[in-house]
């Protein structure tokens, strides 16, 4: 049976929304909408405007066809069990009961979740982690978080699980979080760009340009890239020891480099793995920046099955 | 309703078994048996003799009263889903289909599992992790493994999850596993005893004697203890970042030191935790060395509920 969900992925700069047909065989966006994420003078006002904008896109997409449910995902620290946006560094809000505030203004069942975990759920059901019993999905962008999909379900732990970006893997560099050696201080796409500029004096628009420089043999780019790969491999090693997933799915900006990332990462991880470790698969994400939106659609329709 | 399970915990030196009454309100051993774990000339022969011994204690305990099911737990790397003892360094076996071999010789439903994970399940249902939604149970003995009890279920990942003992936390000391900086190279009870002797030249019978020396102000003991606490705190920090459990339950030999362990560990962990981390509870295990046996009883009776 196919259900129709209105899925809304609230990002730091843009709200992506779609009317999605969710069936046994997959999920298909029928109609898409994008809006800039509104901002207020502070986090509370931003939350108010985001709630308004979510209601507006839901109303607009209801014009595109019948819908059975709505799913909304937001960034930052999110407590799914209470339906609360606990904290977003980017949007500035703290402890906003977003689920209840949105639910009060729409007359459809509402699923609510976290963008990264919902995207991980989508990769597990519809994308590169399909068929893996336990998978860790890592979007590597400004930061590095992980969605832990264990036995087909996302482990959220009141919103705090999967903080692999701030595990100390020993490289010794300081991180804006106050720690040192954090994976994302060296391996996030933001860090790759920043460290390349610091090393070479050449300004770049992002990690994609550093990847291009690696391809052309730029020694500074190669060094920064190798350090990112090493930190990331050490992060995956920690996840392998603790979680032992069947595989990792790499997404986000840095994973657009494709095999330029996964080939050396596979090699470095294999060097680090001991005999007692499970050898995980490494895959590139398949759903790109629609993962969050498709995950929101899954959250919406899963609610329909709950008695 | 109360079910009766014959529970067998196969250890490296001893088999602990009991007839256990498992009800809604808890589990109560009615009758206990202990046997030395038999050994053969190699791992295969040891496995044969262990299977014989398990069948023998099950038969003996059936004489003590009616039983509805049998639960058996074994050490090492265990794949519960296939019922296989993948590897035991201590008992020497590799890839032995223990579950099927035992099931063929008893005419009761059989639950099969891993000693540490079953013990974790018992602490979660009956002991110190009762009421925690997500908990990590760590027996600290010769090595350090962790049972991850997530949303009330044990995450096994084909037997490889919870290897926190071999995560590199940066102290730089070599580990018998071939790595460096492993938590258990400094923080296991075996490491505490070994490192105290190496530092002071004084032989000790185990970590309990080092704990006693800490209490009397022995500076060598204090230094070794502080290093163990630091490594353990860094291991808990990694688990907090990745899993974000409500709490940790510490068991095994080292945890017999009680607050001599948990007080400085709490302090060190609080120093290491950043604002974005969940602050976990720290508890001492309640079930002692019966945890594995009670966990085996739970595995036995859970099988009875499966359709």
């Amino acid at each position: 049976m196919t259900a129709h969900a209105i899925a809304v992925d609230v990002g730091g700069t843009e709200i992506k929304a779609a009317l999605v047909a969710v069936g046994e065989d997959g999920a298909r966006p029928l109609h898409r909408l994008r809006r800039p994420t509104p901002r207020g003078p502070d986090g509370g006002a931003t939350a108010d405007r985001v709630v308004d904008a979510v209601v507006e896109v839901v109303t607009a997409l209801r014009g595109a066809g019948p819908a059975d449910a709505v799913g909304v995902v937001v960034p930052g620290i999110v407590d799914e069990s209470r339906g609360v946006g606990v904290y977003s560094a980017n949007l500035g809000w703290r402890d906003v009961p977003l689920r209840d505030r949105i639910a009060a203004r729409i007359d459809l069942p509402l699923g609510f979740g976290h963008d990264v975990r919902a995207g991980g759920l989508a990769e597990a059901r519809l994308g590169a982690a399909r068929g893996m019993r336990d998978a860790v999905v890592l979007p590597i962008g400004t930061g590095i978080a992980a969605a832990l999909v264990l036995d087909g379900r996302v482990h959220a732990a009141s919103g705090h699980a999967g903080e692999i970006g701030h595990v100390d893997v020993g490289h010794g560099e300081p991180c804006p979080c106050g720690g040192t050696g954090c994976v994302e201080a060296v391996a996030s796409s933001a860090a790759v760009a920043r460290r390349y500029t610091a090393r070479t004096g050449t300004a770049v628009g992002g990690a994609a340009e550093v990847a291009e420089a690696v391809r052309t043999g730029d020694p500074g780019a190669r060094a920064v890239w190798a350090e990112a790969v090493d930190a990331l491999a050490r992060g995956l090693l920690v996840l392998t020891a603790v979680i032992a997933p069947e595989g990792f799915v790499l997404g986000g900006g840095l994973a657009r480099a494709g095999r330029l990332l996964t080939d050396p990462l596979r090699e470095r991880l294999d060097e680090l793995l001991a005999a007692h470790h499970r050898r995980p698969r490494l895959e590139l994400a398949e759903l790109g920046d629609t993962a969050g939106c498709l995950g929101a659609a899954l959250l919406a329709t899963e609610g329909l099955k709950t008695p």
Side-chain angles (χ1 to χ4, degrees), chain A residues 109-111 298-307:
Chain A
L110 176 67
L298 294 174
L299 293 180
T301 54
E302 275 178 14
L304 298 177
K305 292 176 209 153
T306 310

Side-chain angles (χ1 to χ4, degrees), chain A residues 18 30 76 98 106 133 201 247-248 260 280 301:
Chain A
L30 304 176
L98 291 164
I106 57 173
R133 182 166 173 165
F248 293 101
L260 187 72
T301 54

Side-chain angles (χ1 to χ4, degrees), chain A residues 38-132:
Chain A
R39 298 282 182 150
D42 58 38
T46 295
D48 292 345
R49 292 183 192 178
V50 164
V51 170
D52 288 344
V54 167
V55 173
E56 186 267 321
V57 297
V58 169
T59 306
L61 282 168
R62 291 187 79 167
D68 303 299
V70 173
V72 178
V73 302
V74 300
I77 298 177
V78 176
D79 184 346
E80 283 97 335
S81 60
R82 295 187 297 133
V84 169
V86 176
Y87 175 63
S88 166
N90 211 320
L91 296 172
W93 62 49
R94 279 188 190 276
D95 291 317
V96 183
L98 291 164
R99 183 184 61 201
D100 289 353
R101 290 184 54 191
I102 296 165
R105 291 175 58 187
I106 57 173
D107 59 349
L108 286 170
L110 176 67
F112 177 78
H114 178 244
D115 56 357
V116 170
R117 284 191 289 276
L121 183 69
E123 289 288 350
R125 299 279 171 81
L126 313 166
R130 209 169 41 234
M132 294 185 198

Side-chain angles (χ1 to χ4, degrees), chain A residues 199-222:
Chain A
R199 187 181 184 108
T200 63
T202 309
V204 285
E209 286 179 38
V210 182
E212 206 37 57
V214 172
R215 288 199 174 90
T216 61
D218 175 334
R222 291 200 161 185

